[in-house]
Amino acid sequence: MKKHILSMSCAVSALVLSGGGAYAAAAGAAATAADTSPGTTIGELVVTAERREENLQDTPIAVSAFSGDTLKSKRLDGGQNLILQIPNTNYTRSNFGGFNLKIRGIGVDVVSYSGTTGVSINENELPVAANNFANTDFFDTQRVEVVRGPQGTLYGRNAVGGAVDIITNKPTDSFGGYASAEYGNYNTIRVQGAVNIPIGDALALRVAGFRLTQDGFGENLYLNQRVDGRDLGAIRTTLSFKPSDRFSAYLMYEHYGEDDNRNRIGKQLCIKDQGPSSVGGVPIAPAGGPIFTNYAAFLNQGCVPGSLYQDAAYGTVNSNATFLATGNLFGLNNGTDVFANHPMQNHNLHDIESVVQPNYKVNQDLVDLHMEYRLTDNLTLTSITGYNRDVASWSEDYNRLVPLTPFTPTDTGILQLFGLGGIPLLAFPNGVVNDPQTGHSNLFTTFDLSTAESKEYTQELRLQSSFTGPLNFSAGAFYSEVTSNPGANNYYVMSNALTASAIINNIVNGALLGGPVHIDPNFPPDGSGHNYYDARSGGGYLKSYAAFGEIYYNIVPTLKLTLGGRYTVDQLLNISYPISVLVGVPNGTPLFPNTTGNPFFPDGGVGGFPDTICTTSAATCLIPQKVTYREFTGRANLDWTPTLSFTDKSLFYASYSRGYKGGGFNTPCQAALGTVGAAGASCGYPLAYNPEFINAFEIGTKNTLDGGKLTLNGDAFYYDYKGYQVSTIVAKSSVNLNINAKIYGAEFESVFEPIRNLALNANIGYLHTSIDNGQSQVDQINLTQGNPNFTLIHEADGTACLAPTALLAAAIAGGEPAPFLGGFAALGIPNICDASGALKNGVPVDLGGKQLPNTPKFTVSVGAQYVFELPHDWLATVRGDWYWQDDSFARIFNAINDQLRGYSVTNATLTFSNVSDGLDVQFFVKNAFNAQPITGTYLTNDTSGLFQNVFTLDPRTFGVQLTKKF
């Protein structure tokens, strides 16, 4: 799942959120007190969204809250499921192991080590930047709160779109606990439990954990093995200390681990580019044969734009537009598309083909020390100290397809120029390439590997008043530091076609690539090689300092004014490497040599980082990127609680808030194929991208009616969105740029208990997003935008460019050798795309009026629950939930290949509970009709063939869960 996914449970924040808790409370009330109406419990969930305990219906902001009972009754067992119950919220997994949770269109669409999310994920008020929100269960959880809109005057870490806070169960002074076991399809086994142990009068200990194992949702069709399975778990230990009425504290340690064959991404979709049959009226022969006349191999982009919902989208990439294009030049292959005879893929988005199983590995350790001291009866000082360490690696087949056609070495490659055309035949007998990273094979093979490691330190201090007069306040200070270890954050793409090209170059003593190319002999790779791509961070940090606070003034008892402010200082530093591949380095010097001492910090530098680190060539430079942002943000809120004749309780509020999210860095431009490019050379894009800002205006109301049996909540909002950060592909790198947009929408949430034991809920969200006029970008999968005056051609380094059609046609008609059309810098061969009238990037697309990615206009969720009172203290609770989201787009271009169809999801549970025995038996089905939508996509670059990685939901799952409380 990636960006979209269930959003809109318009049922009043209290509805499902507190609704679930309300339903559970209602069931208990029905069994124990005949004179208590379950309707009176609606909206009574206590939340701390404004850093003080208050009823959900009394909180003058858009917030949804789910009690632990609600999470269970609705099977909201993980973060990805929340969108099913929250208006205008969307979720999808993302390309590099993470996820994108969007609230009102605000999330994270950047690809950068220095990028930050638009929605803050917190645990017990502690912000956790590197988290497993998308993977782990909400186990032993008291409640989950989701605040919509810019945050920062109450939260330690500011958030431009909203915040999620997971509140775990804390130790109590009574011994007890629970154990739960679940079995379901896909051989799912899930166990969890907790035990609470009082230790004397002042101490208590709570230990909780869960474990999930599950067979794969899909199949590796090449190895005939299940894939996309789960093997993960967590343990949490919380020690509480309360020596007096004035002081209390708890220390929490939590470990999460996962090691399985989860698909980091889903299937690779592609409408194959068959290549042109003519250029400017000049006929072109099909690809294949001698490389010098093989024009079709150089006039191909791999995949072409089109709807992903047609059968043709389940085709295969044309290998002539992949890394194999370089191998073709060097004689590894004869220009034949190695996927040409591959059958169409099946439509199960969890199925793949791969010579190896995916590996998804994560370990996280989180420590939280929370202390609270009442200085006086009206002043409370709170301290939150946190440490988080996250280590992850993800590897899998880059193409998720295995070709049927082996390599066919040829003597017609570029080595003919030297009279050495037979070398590929001798170097690769039977087409077999020995690649240290991808193995020993005569089939085109490409893997990718992501590694990440970060440490996060957090300290927050907050002073809060509770005076009886009209004036109160909350004031705080915040510091956080997120650091990445040198060399620990990498994204490798390894291909035997690249390694074969390096081998051939080295046989001829570097004549093709300006010097011998170092081939990394290790797996996992150590970053020393030039025979693969490595987007590498050399280490860095994000330090954030802030002072924040709010003042509350009751103008009259029913009218309150809130004024809040925040001053933030963000300091970013990153040591980056310019991406380089197949770059000849004098005397075979590795790209990142292991010099004596610490190769990353030889001279100390500023803050421990050097200004520059260069070895034998400019391509080996480490580039320090530094920036500091200082911003003031705030909010003003006016809430009114009148007494109305037609409601039991009403709240109206109007607010303005300003949100901010810091900028970051782009990857420095890479050295071109066959050259040693200067690390500081112009990239054609900025080396840093700017912060985001939102001016948010909102009005809302919360109402309780009919003696507490009905809640009606609604809000409307308008965002002026400046500097929206979005990623695109330029020169083989993910590049982040800024654009401006407008967002507005409305949300409705309601819960209704018309009769005893029956609860109904409905949530509706409307969202309109529009990019401002006067902005444009190049769409990599459609560079020409239908302009016949340009024709796409692959340069020698695999990058696509647009040549003037007339000039290209004349070159072909004149018999210009095909490899020379794209130039070859090491041999001094000019590039036709450098000619007058050519376009190196493409025809820009006007973005004005286009929707932001993953922002469906409508989201709807409805649910119903009925509690049957059975003999002997048994209750039977039947519950059903239905969610639907509208069509949307995966990218800002809103092109035909970006279209995401709307989808619906249905969940149902049947729970038998015995209150006196503490026993629950729940039968459940999730995604009952097996919806398999495309929730998001990621478009690869022109050297990979422009295929699209897609993300989807888990398929239908069902099972039974037994829980015993003690």
Side-chain angles (χ1 to χ4, degrees), residues 96 110-116 574 663-667 689 727 734 736:
F96 300 101
V110 297
V111 178
S112 172
Y113 291 126
S114 58
T116 55
N574 188 46
F665 306 119
N666 290 318
T667 301
Y689 55 92
S727 177
S734 288
N736 301 291

Side-chain angles (χ1 to χ4, degrees), residues 415-438:
L415 287 173
Q416 280 186 324
L417 295 174
F418 303 90
L420 302 171
I423 286 180
L425 300 173
L426 298 174
F428 310 115
N430 299 317
V432 174
V433 178
N434 187 13
D435 184 342
Q437 284 78 49
T438 66

Side-chain angles (χ1 to χ4, degrees), residues 457-599:
Y457 304 89
T458 302
Q459 178 61 58
E460 178 179 345
L461 290 173
R462 189 171 65 244
L463 180 65
Q464 196 157 6
S465 72
S466 56
F467 299 122
T468 56
L471 184 65
N472 275 286
F473 70 89
S474 175
F478 174 80
Y479 170 78
S480 73
E481 178 177 342
V482 181
T483 60
S484 59
N485 291 341
N489 294 280
N490 296 269
Y491 178 64
Y492 295 100
V493 180
M494 305 158 285
S495 174
N496 58 2
L498 295 175
T499 298
S501 301
I503 291 172
I504 294 174
N505 172 75
N506 292 351
I507 289 174
V508 297
N509 198 29
L512 300 177
L513 297 172
V517 169
H518 177 66
I519 298 175
D520 184 348
N522 303 291
F523 186 83
D526 63 8
S528 67
H530 280 213
N531 60 311
Y532 45 65
Y533 286 91
D534 178 10
R536 164 181 276 213
S537 169
Y541 60 72
L542 165 59
K543 294 181 180 180
S544 183
Y545 310 80
F548 58 91
E550 292 191 340
I551 295 174
Y552 315 101
Y553 182 69
N554 286 85
I555 302 172
V556 295
T558 59
L559 186 65
K560 183 177 71 176
L561 174 66
T562 300
L563 297 176
R566 179 189 186 90
Y567 183 73
T568 303
V569 178
D570 286 337
Q571 296 179 337
L572 287 82
L573 185 146
N574 188 46
I575 301 297
S576 295
Y577 300 83
I579 301 175
S580 57
V581 64
L582 297 183
V583 176
V585 179
N587 303 318
T589 304
L591 179 60
F592 309 123
N594 185 16
T595 59
T596 59
N598 189 332

Side-chain angles (χ1 to χ4, degrees), residues 656-677:
Y656 163 79
S657 58
R658 180 169 172 80
Y660 153 79
K661 183 176 81 170
F665 306 119
N666 290 318
T667 301
C669 50
Q670 63 189 37
L673 175 70
T675 67
V676 181

